[in-house]
């Protein structure tokens, strides 16, 4: 019987599942309100709603009295007749809605209410705010109520409630009636007091007044008497004050603590600049508030009290300053404090910088894009199999004189762990030597003995299950532990023997080295790692650099180019397959690493997380080159091929990145199917503390990748060993098929992305620089034009052709070929193959040689 496999599922379905209909009707409410197309539709709806409500309310204020009679008789006449008599812009519906909001509730204050849906709709439709939504909402709510109450007071005091009561609405009129009973005409006082309180707390009136006062205050002159500035050549000695308190700026990442908090004990008031434009400032240095006793120091000009920052380290003695220097220092300090105030104002006005706002409508892929998890009870380990294996293990060890006091089994998805406790006096090495005998008695593909089990005081024997269980990617990515993980770069590696999901933080690893023979699950493991990161990180937070010498394994991720991928400027494809481009990309990443370290140095932080936190707090100035730095994950699918074709040119930048790049958020995931010492060199291996091995062909390969045997005993198809922090864990890699990766990439690729892929720094190889230096016609060989004509005539870029036809030695022919490459007549060296000939016509060649001056 044939079984319909949904989208690459490898497990069989239950009979009732086959008979059940495949079609289901369900409403994804979250998708309805959050998809990009629906967001545009909802945004347009709210914009139109705000416009027509505003028009309706305004129309009611002008024509409300004439529509009042129509509304009163609405129950006694047809809707058509009422619609003909209604003068409201929106007809009967507009008259009814306006009657409620304007007449019964808020009066003319209701004119402010449509502003909220209009601003919200604009943000949803166009992805940016014309006004801050939360701030506008609070202002609209307050002023709607306040204007209604104020108009109620005016109407009540003027005795015009019979004709103009609709201007205040029912709310404003009733509030004033209650206040009038208590305070008569003085009821205006609480109304004005409410406006004052709102202005103080919402607009920070007190802070703005103090900042204005500080900016316009005259500087105090040290000493009892004022001293006129002296000429530079006239010395004077002035005593410094006994004690001065130093102004300080808090160095914190707490959103609720602003960087511009003023010290109540400080003698210096900072200026608060009211601005609507973002103007980030350089990050302030941490400081403490300490009384500083300044000694009397002779200076060459008038002593000026300046605000200072003093760290916990003892400060240097004051320097002698001339008048010009004093003016410059004072201006610099004032500028620094102005930057502090600008930053504090921006942070208070707009909050922390959010890089995700670059793509505000981006939707994370939902879990339904992955195959549903199907279970088959026949594939689980049966009780009979457990008892049979226990008996065989005990009998085999007993036949060699090893008695077991206790044995326990833990069933995993791929293998079952039997933990045994031998009787006293039994050597562990004796049990280790019986690995082959136990495998023979169990008729198993391969067993692995762990003696002793770390931290348990037992000896473990891992026996493969006869019917293994498939771990689906959906079951691990939908797990609550992964969904709520707060790791910087969370990746799901698989299920342990105890069926726990193993989640690791790539940022803490900080690099991962993978190995495994062909067909053992290495490429699937890479896809699971990439899918884990895509499901948890926003495109603004993470970029991938994908290197695929096989040219077919990572091509599915091409659709993520404008979201998650990074590439060299002017590169045609984001997935790097050419060896020379790989070398350029690795060196470009080294340039990016050095550039990021310079930014971290200027920001006085130690790692990328601290830097981004400081930038988000608007404490770093973009005008000085600072920017939000995403994590970059370099994925190399086949290192062995690169080492064969490039060797040291690849090894050196990979080693540099592995040694230094983790602090600046660049992490490596390198995979190879041949873990030999020529591929995984000592320089590379020393900087990859986290290593993951699928099944390999020999114990030598296992020791190369893991520094221990055991990987050759794995059963394949995703069975793997993870060695990290001197601990080895056996895992079953989740299965994710090609169709699932395609669906996830299509879902993300169909959304609005950046204009282009994340641009890496441009790198020009040494060959380009040498080629430019070699473009000197005086240094060219005299036979170069003849050799060029020979090559174009035969259309064969071969050094041996020049040797045979022109009767030259190999060295001279090789130099001529290099010069032809510099001139652009032939292409670069491609190994044993002949070079490409760039010209196919002698006339075009002659013109090119004439232009280059070598004809």
């Amino acid at each position: 019987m044939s079984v319909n496999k949904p989208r690459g599922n490898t497990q069989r379905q239950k009979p009732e599942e086959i008979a059940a209909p495949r079609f289901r009707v369900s409403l994804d409410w979250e998708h309805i309100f959050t998809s990009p197309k629906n967001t545009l539709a909802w945004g347009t709806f709210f914009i139109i709603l705000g416009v027509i409500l505003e028009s309706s309310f305004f129309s009611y204020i002008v024509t409300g009295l004439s529509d009042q009679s129509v509304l009163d008789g609405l129950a006694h006449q047809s809707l058509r007749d009422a619609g003909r008599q209604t003068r409201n812009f929106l007809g009967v519906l507009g008259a009814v809605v306006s009657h409620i909001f304007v007449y019964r509730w808020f009066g003319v204050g209701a004119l402010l209410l449509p502003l909220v849906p209009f601003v919200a709709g604009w943000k949803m439709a166009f992805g940016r705010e014309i006004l801050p939504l939360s701030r506008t909402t609070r202002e609209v709510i307050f002023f709607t109520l306040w204007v209604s109450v104020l108009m109620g007071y005016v109407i009540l005091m003027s005795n015009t409630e019979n004709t103009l009561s609709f201007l205040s609405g029912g709310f404003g009129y009733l509030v004033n009636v209650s206040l009038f009973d208590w305070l008569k005409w003085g009821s205006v006082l609480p109304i004005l007091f409410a406006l004052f309180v709102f202005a103080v707390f919402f607009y920070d009136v007190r802070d703005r007044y103090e900042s204005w006062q500080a900016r316009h205050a005259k500087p105090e002159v040290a000493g009892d008497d004022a001293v006129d500035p002296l000429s530079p050549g006239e010395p004077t000695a002035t005593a410094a004050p006994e004690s001065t308190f130093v102004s300080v700026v808090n160095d914190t990442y707490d959103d609720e603590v602003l960087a511009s908090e003023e010290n109540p004990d400080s003698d210096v008031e900072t200026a608060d600049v009211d601005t609507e434009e973002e103007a980030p400032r350089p990050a302030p240095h941490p400081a403490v508030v300490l009384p500083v006793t300044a000694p009397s120091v002779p200076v060459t000009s008038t002593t000026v009290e300046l605000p200072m920052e003093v760290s916990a380290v003892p400060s240097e003695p004051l320097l002698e300053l001339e008048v010009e220097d004093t003016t410059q220092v004072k201006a610099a300090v004032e500028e620094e404090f102005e930057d502090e105030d600008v930053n504090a104002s921006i942070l208070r006005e707009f909050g922390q910088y959010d890089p995700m706002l670059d793509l505000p409508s981006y939707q994370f892929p939902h879990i339904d894009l992955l195959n549903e998890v199907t279970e088959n009870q026949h594939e689980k380990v049966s009780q009979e199999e457990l008892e049979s294996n226990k008996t065989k293990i005990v009998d085999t060890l007993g036949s060699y004189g090893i008695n077991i006091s206790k044995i326990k089994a833990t069933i995993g998805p791929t293998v079952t762990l039997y933990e045994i406790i031998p009787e006293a006096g039994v050597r562990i090495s004796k049990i280790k030597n019986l690995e082959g005998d136990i495998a023979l008695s169990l008729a198993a593909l391969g067993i692995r003995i762990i003696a002793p089990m770390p931290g348990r005081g037992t000896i473990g024997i891992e026996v493969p299950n006869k019917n293994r269980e498939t771990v689906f990617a959906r079951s691990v990515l939908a797990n609550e532990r992964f969904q709520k993980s707060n790791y910087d770069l969370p990746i799901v590696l698989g299920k342990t023997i105890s069926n726990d999901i193993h989640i690791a933080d790539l940022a803490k690893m900080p690099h991962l080295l993978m190995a495994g023979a062909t067909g053992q699950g290495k490429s699937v493991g890479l896809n699971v790692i990439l899918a884990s990161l895509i499901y948890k990180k926003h495109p603004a937070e993470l970029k991938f650099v994908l290197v695929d010498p096989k040219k077919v394994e990572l091509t599915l991720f091409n659709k993520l180019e404008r979201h998650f991928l990074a590439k060299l400027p002017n590169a045609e494809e984001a997935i790097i397959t050419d060896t020379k481009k790989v070398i350029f990309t690795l060196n470009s990443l080294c340039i990016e690493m050095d550039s990021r370290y310079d930014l971290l140095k200027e920001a006085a932080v130690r790692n990328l997380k601290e830097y981004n936190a400081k930038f988000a707090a608007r404490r770093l100035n973009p005008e000085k080159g600072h920017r939000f730095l995403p994590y970059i994950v370099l994925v190399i699918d086949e290192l062995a091929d690169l080492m064969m074709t490039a060797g040291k040119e690849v090894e050196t930048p990979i080693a540099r990145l592995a040694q230094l790049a983790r602090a600046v958020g660049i992490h490596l995931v390198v995979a190879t199917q041949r873990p030999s010492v020529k591929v995984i060199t000592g320089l590379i291996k020393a900087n990859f503390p986290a290593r993951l091995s699928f099944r390999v062909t020999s114990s030598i390969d296992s020791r190369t990748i893991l520094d221990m045997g055991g990987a050759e005993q794995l059963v394949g198809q995703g069975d793997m060993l993870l060695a990290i922090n001197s601990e080895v864990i056996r895992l079953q890699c989740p299965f994710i098929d090609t169709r699932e990766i395609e669906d996830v990439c299509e879902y993300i690729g169909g959304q609005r992305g950046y204009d282009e892929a994340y641009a890496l720094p441009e790198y020009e190889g040494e060959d380009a620089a040498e080629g430019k230096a070699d473009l000197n016609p005086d240094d060219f060989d005299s036979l170069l034009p003849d050799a060029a004509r020979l090559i174009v005539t035969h259309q064969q870029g071969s050094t041996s052709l020049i040797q045979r036809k022109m009767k030259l030695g190999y060295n001279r022919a090789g130099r001529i070929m290099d010069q032809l490459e510099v001139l652009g007549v032939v292409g670069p060296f491609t190994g044993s193959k002949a070079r490409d000939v760039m010209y196919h016509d002698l006339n075009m060649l002659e013109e090119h040689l004439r232009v280059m001056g070598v004809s």
Side-chain angles (χ1 to χ4, degrees), residues 150-168:
L150 180 64
M151 294 303 298
Y153 175 81
V154 173
I155 292 171
L156 194 62
M157 291 295 102
S158 61
N159 294 322
T160 57
E161 55 267 23
N162 293 330
T163 57
L164 299 178
S165 59
F166 67 93
L167 295 179
S168 65

Side-chain angles (χ1 to χ4, degrees), residues 53 259 365:
L53 283 180

Side-chain angles (χ1 to χ4, degrees), residues 157-205:
M157 291 295 102
S158 61
N159 294 322
T160 57
E161 55 267 23
N162 293 330
T163 57
L164 299 178
S165 59
F166 67 93
L167 295 179
S168 65
F171 172 78
Y173 183 77
L174 291 177
V175 169
N176 276 277
V177 169
S178 301
L179 290 175
F180 187 79
D181 294 338
W182 286 86
L183 300 172
K184 296 298 181 180
W185 64 268
S187 57
V188 72
L189 297 178
I191 299 175
L192 298 178
F193 180 73
L195 177 63
F196 173 76
V197 171
F198 181 80
V200 168
F201 284 93
F202 189 77
Y203 295 111
D204 297 331
V205 173

Side-chain angles (χ1 to χ4, degrees), residues 196-460:
F196 173 76
V197 171
F198 181 80
V200 168
F201 284 93
F202 189 77
Y203 295 111
D204 297 331
V205 173
R206 182 172 180 269
D207 293 342
R208 296 175 187 271
Y209 171 73
E210 292 177 350
S211 301
W212 176 87
Q213 191 178 34
R215 288 197 300 268
H216 293 79
K218 295 182 179 180
E220 297 181 1
V221 181
D224 297 332
D225 300 324
V227 180
D228 294 331
L230 301 177
S231 60
E234 185 176 355
T236 183
T238 306
E242 293 183 356
S243 180
T244 296
F245 283 98
V246 179
S247 175
V248 65
V249 179
N250 260 342
D251 186 14
T252 178
Y253 296 139
D254 193 347
D255 295 348
E256 299 178 358
V257 181
L258 300 179
S260 63
E261 287 183 348
E262 298 177 356
N263 180 13
D265 296 331
S266 176
D267 292 336
V268 180
E269 294 288 339
T270 58
D272 188 358
V273 179
D274 185 16
T275 178
E276 292 295 332
E277 297 294 329
E278 292 191 12
R281 58 169 174 80
H285 297 288
V288 295
V289 180
L290 294 175
V292 179
T293 302
S296 298
V297 180
V299 295
T300 59
S301 64
T302 303
T303 303
V304 181
E305 292 186 7
L306 297 178
M308 299 181 296
E309 287 186 357
V310 177
S311 63
V313 182
S315 60
E316 296 290 335
L318 297 178
L319 300 178
E320 296 184 357
L321 300 176
E322 296 182 358
V323 173
E324 293 82 2
D325 296 333
T326 305
T327 306
Q328 293 176 2
V329 171
K330 182 177 180 180
V333 174
E334 288 179 352
E335 182 181 358
E336 179 180 355
F337 273 86
E338 288 179 1
D339 290 343
E340 299 286 341
D341 296 330
V342 170
N343 173 70
S345 177
I346 293 174
L347 183 62
R348 182 167 56 248
E349 182 74 18
F350 299 100
Q352 289 203 350
Y353 172 78
D354 186 3
M356 299 183 188
L357 294 179
D358 293 340
L359 296 178
S361 60
Y362 175 79
Q363 300 295 323
F364 285 83
H366 48 79
I367 207 67
D368 294 335
L369 295 172
L370 305 178
N371 291 340
E372 294 185 359
V373 179
T374 58
E375 297 183 0
N376 195 324
Q377 298 296 332
H378 299 289
E379 295 186 0
K380 299 262 178 99
V381 178
S382 62
Q383 187 65 28
E384 292 78 8
E385 182 180 348
L386 287 176
E387 294 298 332
S388 174
N389 288 340
K390 285 183 180 180
T391 302
K392 292 177 181 178
I393 291 174
V394 172
D395 292 345
T396 302
L397 295 177
S399 63
Y400 289 95
I402 301 174
N403 296 324
I404 304 301
S405 61
K406 185 179 179 181
I407 185 169
K408 181 181 73 172
T410 303
I411 303 175
T414 305
V415 298
T416 299
L417 174 64
Y418 296 89
E419 295 184 66
I420 62 175
I421 301 177
E423 291 184 348
V426 177
R427 292 187 176 181
I428 294 179
S429 59
K430 191 174 182 181
I431 299 178
K432 279 187 174 182
N433 294 332
L434 296 177
E435 185 175 78
D437 300 284
I438 297 175
L440 178 63
S441 64
L442 296 173
L445 178 63
I447 68 170
R448 177 170 170 263
I449 295 180
I450 310 171
M453 293 284 291
R456 296 192 183 183
T458 60
I459 297 174

Side-chain angles (χ1 to χ4, degrees), residues 444-715:
L445 178 63
I447 68 170
R448 177 170 170 263
I449 295 180
I450 310 171
M453 293 284 291
R456 296 192 183 183
T458 60
I459 297 174
I461 302 177
E462 294 175 347
V463 180
N465 300 331
K466 292 182 180 178
N467 297 309
R468 60 190 303 167
E469 176 187 354
T470 301
V471 178
F472 289 93
R474 178 167 181 166
S475 65
V476 294
L477 295 180
N479 187 269
E480 185 177 3
R481 284 186 58 233
F482 176 73
Q483 293 294 332
K484 295 184 177 181
S485 171
N486 58 356
Y487 289 157
D488 294 328
L489 293 175
I491 56 175
V492 175
L493 295 178
K495 277 190 176 182
T496 64
I497 291 180
S498 57
N499 284 294
D500 294 329
I501 295 177
H502 187 82
I503 304 173
D505 188 0
L506 182 60
K508 298 290 180 62
M509 281 186 168
H511 311 293
L512 180 61
L513 184 61
M514 302 173 62
T518 303
Q520 303 304 314
K522 178 166 49 62
S523 296
V524 174
L526 282 176
N527 289 340
V528 171
I529 290 174
L530 293 173
S532 302
L533 295 172
I534 289 172
Y535 265 86
K536 285 291 289 183
K537 306 304 291 185
H538 190 275
E541 303 173 302
L542 175 65
K543 301 297 176 184
F544 295 118
V545 177
L546 303 181
V547 178
D548 183 16
K550 297 179 184 178
K551 302 182 181 181
V552 294
E553 295 293 344
L554 300 177
T555 52
L556 297 175
F557 296 94
N558 255 327
K559 298 176 182 178
L560 305 181
E561 178 175 344
R562 295 186 300 111
H563 294 84
F564 282 101
L565 299 189
K567 66 178 183 179
L568 292 172
N570 303 321
E572 296 179 359
E573 297 181 355
I575 310 295
I576 303 120
T577 57
D578 183 70
T579 303
K580 192 168 186 178
K581 292 182 180 179
V582 172
I583 298 172
F584 286 6
T585 302
L586 293 176
N587 285 279
S588 175
L589 281 175
C590 291
I591 298 174
E592 174 76 9
M593 176 186 69
D594 296 335
S595 173
R596 290 189 172 200
Y597 266 115
D598 292 338
L599 293 177
L600 263 63
K601 179 182 177 182
E602 294 177 6
V605 295
R606 298 181 59 187
N607 54 55
L608 181 80
K609 192 172 183 180
E610 294 179 4
Y611 178 87
N612 284 338
K614 209 165 187 178
F615 186 85
R618 304 187 185 275
R619 297 166 57 196
L620 299 175
N621 193 345
E623 294 181 357
K624 297 184 178 180
H626 293 288
R627 65 187 188 278
F628 185 87
L629 300 178
Y631 286 96
I632 297 178
V633 177
L634 169 64
V635 179
I636 300 178
D637 186 38
E638 184 50 68
L639 180 63
D641 182 74
L642 298 180
M643 295 296 290
M644 288 176 59
T645 55
K648 289 292 183 181
E649 292 181 286
V650 170
E651 180 186 3
T652 301
I654 288 179
R656 281 204 69 211
L657 292 171
Q659 289 171 345
L660 303 173
R662 61 179 180 177
V664 292
I666 301 177
H667 303 277
L668 280 65
V669 179
V670 179
T672 180
Q673 59 182 335
R674 193 183 64 175
S676 64
V677 293
K678 293 183 179 180
V679 176
I680 305 177
T681 62
L683 190 59
I684 293 178
K685 185 177 177 181
N687 294 287
F688 283 82
R691 302 167 197 166
L692 192 152
S693 177
F694 294 87
R695 186 181 181 184
V696 294
T697 56
S698 66
S699 60
I700 297 176
D701 291 343
S702 176
R703 294 183 184 278
T704 301
I705 182 69
L706 298 176
D707 291 332
M708 60 176 292
E712 75 280 3
Q713 299 292 344
L714 300 176
V715 296

Side-chain angles (χ1 to χ4, degrees), residues 17 48 81 87 488 630 656 679 729 777:
E17 293 177 342
I48 297 175
D81 293 338
R87 297 177 59 188
D488 294 328
R656 281 204 69 211
V679 176
I729 307 171

